[in-house]
Amino acid sequence: MDTEKRKNPLSRRRVLALTGGAALITTGCTQGERRGADKASHDSKKRAPAEGSAEGPDGALGANFNEDPDSVTFAELRDLSASWLRGFVPMPEVTDDASQQRAVEKLLDAHHQGYSTVLSLKFPYNHRPIPRPGSPAMTAELARVDRVLHTVLDTVDVLAIGNEPFIESLPQDRGSGALNTFYETVAEHIVAYRKKHFPERCRTHLYLGALNYLDKPDKRTAATDRWLSFARRTPEIEGVDIHPHVAAPERVQPYLDYILPRLRGDQKFLVTEFSLVQLWKQHLSDTIPTRFARRYHLPSNTPVWKLIKDAIEYPFPERKWRDFLAMSPWFERNKHFLRDQVGHFRDTGRLAVATYGVTQGAAMTENFGPDKQPWLLNSLYANRTVERPDDGPPAHTYGFFDDFRALQRQQDRRGS
């Protein structure tokens, strides 16, 4: 783990300052202190928390490392002014001691340093049938869940039951109801475990994991309806997660239009991943901007994907990478997507936590070509496409980095 783990970058006062007070008040407090801070910073219309849990997050924005906890350092999180951190644990990696799994270890480390945390449980069944209740496979899966719960419950602030279930499953399991039955079984097991071990209050808030592709009508199915119906009728579930990776900013709204009417009035939503990666991909075969080609003496017919591949192999000076993004109309028009979208999420009054990708991970750069998903264009740091001094921080991504920091300083609109 990071050598910085013995430092504590985020005192309670620091966290309140970074988030405008109301949004991230849970970090670094005892439960009694947290309830007092909540009362002072929320108006009289604030909904009561779910039974058995501490007051939940409201309008928070954090950083996301997904499956790659080693890709981000606490120094980088401090540079971002981030005070929430999210990742997911692939459940097959869980051994007898769940604290040794890399994502879990990173989030436990973050918690001890004063960060609030979100952990998603990833059950990868996209290449094999999902377990049925009562089967040996289900028994083994629930045993792994217990090992994670033993390690993280009442430590992580939010536990998302599932990562991207409707992608991480077979079509026949989605169509037959087996997907829903599996996750409902896991959720009920987690609820029972929490009730048994924390009968009074528990700081960990339970959400159902993320829904994808809700901007496409054919992806809003009986299975997704059942997913939301289960969340609505289960008092201990405080909402659902969504992952809007879209081809245009306006295609995020259908996610909210679908989920919010189907949730209870006291429920909120997570957005632990969101991006314009589908838009970026549409432009990989475009030629680079003419002005950029002239400035850097490049062939005018160079495709965007080739330029990115060159930057991966031989990282650019920071100014050159910034010019590439700023001179590309498809990026320049959307450089404030993060700022605008978090604003829309907060305006609903129902956002619990949104998190955004921090760095360009190794998997994002492997075999880069015109068919590669260009996740690396989303990241807050351009750590693999821009030169980095041996003793300096990675380059900040144009537009997104500054907007992320500005969002941390804003008052949460629900509490203002």
Side-chain angles (χ1 to χ4, degrees), residues 340-404:
D340 296 342
Q341 199 54 64
V342 171
H344 292 325
F345 293 147
R346 287 176 171 171
D347 284 347
T348 67
R350 306 280 293 278
L351 173 67
V353 186
T355 61
Y356 198 79
V358 181
T359 55
Q360 297 170 332
M364 299 178 185
T365 61
E366 293 174 354
N367 303 312
F368 200 89
D371 298 320
K372 179 85 170 181
Q373 286 283 70
W375 298 107
L376 59 80
L377 293 177
N378 298 326
S379 304
L380 297 170
Y381 286 103
N383 53 299
R384 292 180 181 270
T385 54
V386 174
E387 297 171 344
R388 178 176 179 177
D390 291 338
D391 58 349
H396 302 166
T397 293
Y398 173 59
F400 291 169
F401 185 96
D402 289 343
D403 283 352
F404 185 96

Side-chain angles (χ1 to χ4, degrees), residues 92-302:
E93 295 183 9
V94 175
T95 60
D96 288 344
D97 184 359
S99 68
Q100 298 303 303
Q101 197 281 330
R102 293 185 310 132
V104 173
E105 185 181 15
K106 184 80 168 191
L107 291 176
L108 293 175
D109 194 4
H111 167 77
H112 292 308
Q113 294 201 39
Y115 292 83
S116 293
T117 54
V118 181
L119 175 65
S120 300
L121 306 181
K122 175 173 179 168
F123 300 92
Y125 283 99
N126 45 326
H127 298 297
R128 54 188 172 132
I130 207 161
R132 271 53 174 175
S135 68
M138 179 64 87
T139 300
E141 200 67 83
L142 294 178
R144 281 189 286 269
V145 169
D146 283 351
R147 291 195 284 272
V148 174
L149 296 178
H150 175 76
T151 302
V152 307
L153 212 57
D154 204 36
T155 298
V156 300
D157 294 87
V158 174
L159 183 69
I161 304 166
N163 178 53
E164 294 181 333
F166 288 83
I167 292 177
E168 296 157 357
S169 58
L170 296 173
Q172 56 265 36
D173 285 340
R174 296 194 292 271
S176 69
L179 167 73
N180 295 86
T181 299
F182 171 81
Y183 281 95
E184 289 165 10
T185 301
V186 172
E188 289 166 350
H189 181 85
I190 291 172
V191 167
Y193 185 103
R194 189 179 71 165
K195 190 172 296 185
K196 176 181 178 180
H197 293 277
F198 299 93
E200 299 297 327
R201 290 177 74 82
C202 178
R203 70 176 291 140
T204 301
H205 302 270
L206 304 180
Y207 283 73
L208 287 187
L211 296 167
N212 299 85
Y213 301 128
L214 294 181
D215 55 321
K216 300 178 180 180
D218 65 330
K219 299 298 183 181
R220 301 193 289 268
T221 65
T224 57
D225 284 349
R226 177 175 165 180
W227 192 265
L228 289 157
S229 176
F230 175 79
R232 182 184 180 94
R233 70 174 185 270
T234 306
E236 297 84 358
I237 299 297
E238 298 185 40
V240 298
D241 192 5
I242 55 174
H243 284 184
H245 295 297
V246 294
E250 60 270 19
R251 297 190 70 165
V252 177
Q253 187 60 38
Y255 281 76
L256 302 178
D257 293 341
Y258 181 73
I259 68 165
L260 290 180
R262 290 170 170 80
L263 294 175
R264 299 190 310 267
D266 65 327
Q267 288 179 312
K268 296 181 182 178
F269 63 95
L270 307 173
V271 195
T272 55
E273 296 181 29
F274 62 106
S275 77
L276 289 174
V277 68
Q278 303 301 337
L279 175 62
W280 309 148
K281 188 173 184 180
Q282 290 176 3
H283 293 280
L284 287 182
S285 295
D286 292 0
T287 55
I288 60 176
T290 301
R291 188 158 59 103
F292 179 81
R294 285 199 304 263
R295 177 172 294 182
Y296 291 97
H297 310 290
L298 298 170
S300 59
N301 63 347
T302 303

